Every structure is written in C-alpha cells, then in structure tokens.
PDB file of all heavy atoms in Angstrom:
ATOM      1  N   GLY W   3     114.530  98.778  92.386  1.00  0.00           N
ATOM      2  CA  GLY W   3     114.365  99.081  93.807  1.00  0.00           C
ATOM      3  C   GLY W   3     112.927  99.371  94.185  1.00  0.00           C
ATOM      4  O   GLY W   3     112.442  98.916  95.225  1.00  0.00           O
ATOM      5  N   LEU W   4     112.226 100.122  93.348  1.00  0.00           N
ATOM      6  CA  LEU W   4     110.824 100.438  93.633  1.00  0.00           C
ATOM      7  C   LEU W   4     109.939  99.201  93.614  1.00  0.00           C
ATOM      8  O   LEU W   4     109.082  99.025  94.481  1.00  0.00           O
ATOM      9  CB  LEU W   4     110.291 101.487  92.646  1.00  0.00           C
ATOM     10  CG  LEU W   4     110.737 102.916  92.899  1.00  0.00           C
ATOM     11  CD1 LEU W   4     110.308 103.837  91.755  1.00  0.00           C
ATOM     12  CD2 LEU W   4     110.178 103.426  94.229  1.00  0.00           C
ATOM     13  N   TRP W   5     110.127  98.355  92.618  1.00  0.00           N
ATOM     14  CA  TRP W   5     109.337  97.123  92.557  1.00  0.00           C
ATOM     15  C   TRP W   5     109.565  96.271  93.807  1.00  0.00           C
ATOM     16  O   TRP W   5     108.620  95.876  94.485  1.00  0.00           O
ATOM     17  CB  TRP W   5     109.689  96.303  91.304  1.00  0.00           C
ATOM     18  CG  TRP W   5     108.893  96.685  90.105  1.00  0.00           C
ATOM     19  CD1 TRP W   5     109.318  97.474  89.070  1.00  0.00           C
ATOM     20  CD2 TRP W   5     107.551  96.316  89.793  1.00  0.00           C
ATOM     21  NE1 TRP W   5     108.321  97.609  88.147  1.00  0.00           N
ATOM     22  CE2 TRP W   5     107.226  96.905  88.560  1.00  0.00           C
ATOM     23  CE3 TRP W   5     106.596  95.536  90.432  1.00  0.00           C
ATOM     24  CZ2 TRP W   5     105.983  96.737  87.946  1.00  0.00           C
ATOM     25  CZ3 TRP W   5     105.352  95.364  89.836  1.00  0.00           C
ATOM     26  CH2 TRP W   5     105.051  95.962  88.617  1.00  0.00           C
ATOM     27  N   PHE W   6     110.827  95.981  94.096  1.00  0.00           N
ATOM     28  CA  PHE W   6     111.129  95.094  95.219  1.00  0.00           C
ATOM     29  C   PHE W   6     110.810  95.739  96.561  1.00  0.00           C
ATOM     30  O   PHE W   6     110.263  95.098  97.455  1.00  0.00           O
ATOM     31  CB  PHE W   6     112.581  94.624  95.166  1.00  0.00           C
ATOM     32  CG  PHE W   6     112.875  93.709  94.002  1.00  0.00           C
ATOM     33  CD1 PHE W   6     114.144  93.646  93.464  1.00  0.00           C
ATOM     34  CD2 PHE W   6     111.900  92.916  93.442  1.00  0.00           C
ATOM     35  CE1 PHE W   6     114.441  92.792  92.403  1.00  0.00           C
ATOM     36  CE2 PHE W   6     112.165  92.064  92.372  1.00  0.00           C
ATOM     37  CZ  PHE W   6     113.444  92.009  91.849  1.00  0.00           C
ATOM     38  N   GLY W   7     111.148  97.011  96.721  1.00  0.00           N
ATOM     39  CA  GLY W   7     110.877  97.705  97.977  1.00  0.00           C
ATOM     40  C   GLY W   7     109.390  97.804  98.273  1.00  0.00           C
ATOM     41  O   GLY W   7     108.953  97.603  99.406  1.00  0.00           O
ATOM     42  N   THR W   8     108.610  98.115  97.250  1.00  0.00           N
ATOM     43  CA  THR W   8     107.158  98.233  97.431  1.00  0.00           C
ATOM     44  C   THR W   8     106.544  96.892  97.847  1.00  0.00           C
ATOM     45  O   THR W   8     105.751  96.832  98.794  1.00  0.00           O
ATOM     46  CB  THR W   8     106.493  98.740  96.138  1.00  0.00           C
ATOM     47  OG1 THR W   8     107.035 100.029  95.821  1.00  0.00           O
ATOM     48  CG2 THR W   8     104.985  98.831  96.283  1.00  0.00           C
ATOM     49  N   PHE W   9     106.908  95.831  97.156  1.00  0.00           N
ATOM     50  CA  PHE W   9     106.322  94.533  97.491  1.00  0.00           C
ATOM     51  C   PHE W   9     106.816  94.015  98.839  1.00  0.00           C
ATOM     52  O   PHE W   9     106.054  93.398  99.578  1.00  0.00           O
ATOM     53  CB  PHE W   9     106.564  93.520  96.370  1.00  0.00           C
ATOM     54  CG  PHE W   9     105.505  93.586  95.312  1.00  0.00           C
ATOM     55  CD1 PHE W   9     105.539  94.579  94.344  1.00  0.00           C
ATOM     56  CD2 PHE W   9     104.454  92.690  95.296  1.00  0.00           C
ATOM     57  CE1 PHE W   9     104.556  94.676  93.385  1.00  0.00           C
ATOM     58  CE2 PHE W   9     103.457  92.768  94.339  1.00  0.00           C
ATOM     59  CZ  PHE W   9     103.502  93.771  93.368  1.00  0.00           C
ATOM     60  N   GLN W  10     108.083  94.257  99.168  1.00  0.00           N
ATOM     61  CA  GLN W  10     108.596  93.828 100.470  1.00  0.00           C
ATOM     62  C   GLN W  10     107.895  94.587 101.592  1.00  0.00           C
ATOM     63  O   GLN W  10     107.770  94.074 102.696  1.00  0.00           O
ATOM     64  CB  GLN W  10     110.110  94.037 100.576  1.00  0.00           C
ATOM     65  CG  GLN W  10     110.921  93.050  99.791  1.00  0.00           C
ATOM     66  CD  GLN W  10     111.020  91.679 100.431  1.00  0.00           C
ATOM     67  OE1 GLN W  10     110.303  91.328 101.354  1.00  0.00           O
ATOM     68  NE2 GLN W  10     111.928  90.877  99.922  1.00  0.00           N
ATOM     69  N   ALA W  11     107.452  95.810 101.339  1.00  0.00           N
ATOM     70  CA  ALA W  11     106.720  96.578 102.349  1.00  0.00           C
ATOM     71  C   ALA W  11     105.246  96.180 102.391  1.00  0.00           C
ATOM     72  O   ALA W  11     104.638  96.141 103.462  1.00  0.00           O
ATOM     73  CB  ALA W  11     106.847  98.077 102.068  1.00  0.00           C
ATOM     74  N   LEU W  12     104.670  95.864 101.242  1.00  0.00           N
ATOM     75  CA  LEU W  12     103.250  95.521 101.162  1.00  0.00           C
ATOM     76  C   LEU W  12     102.941  94.143 101.750  1.00  0.00           C
ATOM     77  O   LEU W  12     101.934  93.971 102.449  1.00  0.00           O
ATOM     78  CB  LEU W  12     102.802  95.587  99.694  1.00  0.00           C
ATOM     79  CG  LEU W  12     101.350  95.246  99.396  1.00  0.00           C
ATOM     80  CD1 LEU W  12     100.431  96.271 100.049  1.00  0.00           C
ATOM     81  CD2 LEU W  12     101.118  95.220  97.887  1.00  0.00           C
ATOM     82  N   MET W  13     103.781  93.178 101.489  1.00  0.00           N
ATOM     83  CA  MET W  13     103.496  91.801 101.906  1.00  0.00           C
ATOM     84  C   MET W  13     103.396  91.620 103.422  1.00  0.00           C
ATOM     85  O   MET W  13     102.517  90.898 103.888  1.00  0.00           O
ATOM     86  CB  MET W  13     104.520  90.837 101.312  1.00  0.00           C
ATOM     87  CG  MET W  13     104.379  90.696  99.812  1.00  0.00           C
ATOM     88  SD  MET W  13     102.780  90.076  99.305  1.00  0.00           S
ATOM     89  CE  MET W  13     103.278  88.832  98.170  1.00  0.00           C
ATOM     90  N   PRO W  14     104.249  92.255 104.241  1.00  0.00           N
ATOM     91  CA  PRO W  14     104.059  92.102 105.686  1.00  0.00           C
ATOM     92  C   PRO W  14     102.719  92.666 106.177  1.00  0.00           C
ATOM     93  O   PRO W  14     102.138  92.150 107.123  1.00  0.00           O
ATOM     94  CB  PRO W  14     105.224  92.884 106.304  1.00  0.00           C
ATOM     95  CG  PRO W  14     106.246  92.950 105.244  1.00  0.00           C
ATOM     96  CD  PRO W  14     105.485  92.968 103.945  1.00  0.00           C
ATOM     97  N   VAL W  15     102.238  93.700 105.502  1.00  0.00           N
ATOM     98  CA  VAL W  15     100.936  94.259 105.872  1.00  0.00           C
ATOM     99  C   VAL W  15      99.838  93.236 105.605  1.00  0.00           C
ATOM    100  O   VAL W  15      98.967  92.993 106.453  1.00  0.00           O
ATOM    101  CB  VAL W  15     100.657  95.581 105.106  1.00  0.00           C
ATOM    102  CG1 VAL W  15      99.248  96.078 105.362  1.00  0.00           C
ATOM    103  CG2 VAL W  15     101.682  96.640 105.471  1.00  0.00           C
ATOM    104  N   ILE W  16      99.893  92.614 104.439  1.00  0.00           N
ATOM    105  CA  ILE W  16      98.907  91.573 104.113  1.00  0.00           C
ATOM    106  C   ILE W  16      99.028  90.424 105.106  1.00  0.00           C
ATOM    107  O   ILE W  16      98.024  89.933 105.634  1.00  0.00           O
ATOM    108  CB  ILE W  16      99.104  91.074 102.655  1.00  0.00           C
ATOM    109  CG1 ILE W  16      98.798  92.212 101.672  1.00  0.00           C
ATOM    110  CG2 ILE W  16      98.241  89.854 102.374  1.00  0.00           C
ATOM    111  CD1 ILE W  16      99.215  91.928 100.245  1.00  0.00           C
ATOM    112  N   GLY W  17     100.254  89.985 105.372  1.00  0.00           N
ATOM    113  CA  GLY W  17     100.480  88.901 106.333  1.00  0.00           C
ATOM    114  C   GLY W  17      99.996  89.254 107.725  1.00  0.00           C
ATOM    115  O   GLY W  17      99.413  88.422 108.426  1.00  0.00           O
ATOM    116  N   TYR W  18     100.211  90.500 108.119  1.00  0.00           N
ATOM    117  CA  TYR W  18      99.764  90.965 109.436  1.00  0.00           C
ATOM    118  C   TYR W  18      98.249  90.822 109.570  1.00  0.00           C
ATOM    119  O   TYR W  18      97.747  90.289 110.570  1.00  0.00           O
ATOM    120  CB  TYR W  18     100.189  92.415 109.639  1.00  0.00           C
ATOM    121  CG  TYR W  18      99.654  93.037 110.907  1.00  0.00           C
ATOM    122  CD1 TYR W  18     100.275  92.784 112.120  1.00  0.00           C
ATOM    123  CD2 TYR W  18      98.537  93.854 110.885  1.00  0.00           C
ATOM    124  CE1 TYR W  18      99.794  93.346 113.291  1.00  0.00           C
ATOM    125  CE2 TYR W  18      98.050  94.420 112.046  1.00  0.00           C
ATOM    126  CZ  TYR W  18      98.679  94.158 113.254  1.00  0.00           C
ATOM    127  OH  TYR W  18      98.203  94.703 114.404  1.00  0.00           O
ATOM    128  N   PHE W  19      97.511  91.293 108.576  1.00  0.00           N
ATOM    129  CA  PHE W  19      96.053  91.215 108.651  1.00  0.00           C
ATOM    130  C   PHE W  19      95.559  89.768 108.600  1.00  0.00           C
ATOM    131  O   PHE W  19      94.566  89.428 109.249  1.00  0.00           O
ATOM    132  CB  PHE W  19      95.395  92.079 107.584  1.00  0.00           C
ATOM    133  CG  PHE W  19      95.480  93.540 107.918  1.00  0.00           C
ATOM    134  CD1 PHE W  19      96.238  94.398 107.145  1.00  0.00           C
ATOM    135  CD2 PHE W  19      94.826  94.052 109.031  1.00  0.00           C
ATOM    136  CE1 PHE W  19      96.337  95.747 107.469  1.00  0.00           C
ATOM    137  CE2 PHE W  19      94.918  95.403 109.364  1.00  0.00           C
ATOM    138  CZ  PHE W  19      95.671  96.247 108.572  1.00  0.00           C
ATOM    139  N   LEU W  20      96.260  88.913 107.880  1.00  0.00           N
ATOM    140  CA  LEU W  20      95.921  87.483 107.910  1.00  0.00           C
ATOM    141  C   LEU W  20      96.177  86.914 109.308  1.00  0.00           C
ATOM    142  O   LEU W  20      95.358  86.170 109.844  1.00  0.00           O
ATOM    143  CB  LEU W  20      96.744  86.704 106.877  1.00  0.00           C
ATOM    144  CG  LEU W  20      96.420  86.945 105.410  1.00  0.00           C
ATOM    145  CD1 LEU W  20      97.452  86.256 104.527  1.00  0.00           C
ATOM    146  CD2 LEU W  20      95.020  86.457 105.088  1.00  0.00           C
ATOM    147  N   GLY W  21      97.312  87.274 109.890  1.00  0.00           N
ATOM    148  CA  GLY W  21      97.669  86.781 111.220  1.00  0.00           C
ATOM    149  C   GLY W  21      96.746  87.279 112.308  1.00  0.00           C
ATOM    150  O   GLY W  21      96.379  86.532 113.220  1.00  0.00           O
ATOM    151  N   VAL W  22      96.348  88.544 112.224  1.00  0.00           N
ATOM    152  CA  VAL W  22      95.456  89.127 113.232  1.00  0.00           C
ATOM    153  C   VAL W  22      94.125  88.385 113.266  1.00  0.00           C
ATOM    154  O   VAL W  22      93.519  88.222 114.324  1.00  0.00           O
ATOM    155  CB  VAL W  22      95.244  90.640 112.960  1.00  0.00           C
ATOM    156  CG1 VAL W  22      94.061  91.196 113.721  1.00  0.00           C
ATOM    157  CG2 VAL W  22      96.503  91.410 113.311  1.00  0.00           C
ATOM    158  N   SER W  23      93.703  87.899 112.111  1.00  0.00           N
ATOM    159  CA  SER W  23      92.408  87.227 112.046  1.00  0.00           C
ATOM    160  C   SER W  23      92.364  85.943 112.871  1.00  0.00           C
ATOM    161  O   SER W  23      91.295  85.494 113.261  1.00  0.00           O
ATOM    162  CB  SER W  23      92.018  86.948 110.591  1.00  0.00           C
ATOM    163  OG  SER W  23      92.888  86.007 110.019  1.00  0.00           O
ATOM    164  N   PHE W  24      93.519  85.340 113.146  1.00  0.00           N
ATOM    165  CA  PHE W  24      93.515  84.132 113.976  1.00  0.00           C
ATOM    166  C   PHE W  24      94.520  84.169 115.131  1.00  0.00           C
ATOM    167  O   PHE W  24      94.770  83.171 115.792  1.00  0.00           O
ATOM    168  CB  PHE W  24      93.734  82.868 113.135  1.00  0.00           C
ATOM    169  CG  PHE W  24      94.997  82.859 112.324  1.00  0.00           C
ATOM    170  CD1 PHE W  24      96.195  82.447 112.866  1.00  0.00           C
ATOM    171  CD2 PHE W  24      94.980  83.250 110.994  1.00  0.00           C
ATOM    172  CE1 PHE W  24      97.352  82.433 112.125  1.00  0.00           C
ATOM    173  CE2 PHE W  24      96.137  83.239 110.230  1.00  0.00           C
ATOM    174  CZ  PHE W  24      97.324  82.825 110.800  1.00  0.00           C
ATOM    175  N   ALA W  25      95.067  85.342 115.433  1.00  0.00           N
ATOM    176  CA  ALA W  25      96.085  85.469 116.491  1.00  0.00           C
ATOM    177  C   ALA W  25      95.557  85.084 117.865  1.00  0.00           C
ATOM    178  O   ALA W  25      96.269  84.435 118.646  1.00  0.00           O
ATOM    179  CB  ALA W  25      96.634  86.893 116.521  1.00  0.00           C
ATOM    180  N   ASP W  26      94.332  85.463 118.195  1.00  0.00           N
ATOM    181  CA  ASP W  26      93.784  85.163 119.524  1.00  0.00           C
ATOM    182  C   ASP W  26      93.668  83.661 119.773  1.00  0.00           C
ATOM    183  O   ASP W  26      93.827  83.201 120.904  1.00  0.00           O
ATOM    184  CB  ASP W  26      92.407  85.807 119.697  1.00  0.00           C
ATOM    185  CG  ASP W  26      92.505  87.317 119.803  1.00  0.00           C
ATOM    186  OD1 ASP W  26      93.608  87.817 120.126  1.00  0.00           O
ATOM    187  OD2 ASP W  26      91.499  87.989 119.560  1.00  0.00           O
ATOM    188  N   ARG W  27      93.394  82.907 118.728  1.00  0.00           N
ATOM    189  CA  ARG W  27      93.211  81.461 118.881  1.00  0.00           C
ATOM    190  C   ARG W  27      94.512  80.703 119.102  1.00  0.00           C
ATOM    191  O   ARG W  27      94.490  79.587 119.592  1.00  0.00           O
ATOM    192  CB  ARG W  27      92.484  80.895 117.665  1.00  0.00           C
ATOM    193  CG  ARG W  27      91.020  81.315 117.638  1.00  0.00           C
ATOM    194  CD  ARG W  27      90.394  80.889 116.370  1.00  0.00           C
ATOM    195  NE  ARG W  27      90.500  82.076 115.508  1.00  0.00           N
ATOM    196  CZ  ARG W  27      89.936  82.216 114.343  1.00  0.00           C
ATOM    197  NH1 ARG W  27      89.263  81.245 113.829  1.00  0.00           N
ATOM    198  NH2 ARG W  27      90.066  83.326 113.657  1.00  0.00           N
ATOM    199  N   ILE W  28      95.638  81.306 118.717  1.00  0.00           N
ATOM    200  CA  ILE W  28      96.906  80.573 118.839  1.00  0.00           C
ATOM    201  C   ILE W  28      97.952  81.342 119.642  1.00  0.00           C
ATOM    202  O   ILE W  28      99.151  81.084 119.520  1.00  0.00           O
ATOM    203  CB  ILE W  28      97.463  80.197 117.445  1.00  0.00           C
ATOM    204  CG1 ILE W  28      97.615  81.428 116.568  1.00  0.00           C
ATOM    205  CG2 ILE W  28      96.586  79.165 116.765  1.00  0.00           C
ATOM    206  CD1 ILE W  28      98.266  81.149 115.242  1.00  0.00           C
ATOM    207  N   LYS W  29      97.506  82.278 120.468  1.00  0.00           N
ATOM    208  CA  LYS W  29      98.413  83.124 121.250  1.00  0.00           C
ATOM    209  C   LYS W  29      99.401  82.311 122.094  1.00  0.00           C
ATOM    210  O   LYS W  29     100.542  82.706 122.262  1.00  0.00           O
ATOM    211  CB  LYS W  29      97.586  84.059 122.148  1.00  0.00           C
ATOM    212  CG  LYS W  29      98.377  85.181 122.736  1.00  0.00           C
ATOM    213  CD  LYS W  29      98.698  86.210 121.690  1.00  0.00           C
ATOM    214  CE  LYS W  29      99.292  87.449 122.292  1.00  0.00           C
ATOM    215  NZ  LYS W  29     100.017  88.229 121.353  1.00  0.00           N
ATOM    216  N   SER W  30      98.985  81.160 122.597  1.00  0.00           N
ATOM    217  CA  SER W  30      99.857  80.373 123.480  1.00  0.00           C
ATOM    218  C   SER W  30     101.053  79.754 122.750  1.00  0.00           C
ATOM    219  O   SER W  30     102.033  79.387 123.382  1.00  0.00           O
ATOM    220  CB  SER W  30      99.054  79.276 124.180  1.00  0.00           C
ATOM    221  OG  SER W  30      98.541  78.363 123.227  1.00  0.00           O
TER     222      SER W  30
END
C-alpha cells in the first residue's frame, strides 16, 4: 500500500508541473 499509494500521489504532482509549463499555450 505504501509503495503504490506514494507513487500514485507523487506522479500527478510531476504531471501537474509538466502540464503547467505548457498550459497557457494550449488552453483553448
């Protein structure tokens, strides 16, 4: 549970910061 829960929580954070870096360019 700790392994899977930790990674499932960590990955959206990484994805969020990747997405924020180009969100303004593709907002439409």
Side-chain angles (χ1 to χ4, degrees):
L4 284 172
W5 272 101
F6 292 152
T8 300
F9 273 79
Q10 286 284 14
L12 179 64
M13 291 300 227
V15 173
I16 295 169
Y18 174 80
F19 286 113
L20 290 172
V22 164
S23 67
F24 57 85
D26 290 340
R27 289 173 265 189
I28 55 175
K29 194 73 171 160
S30 63

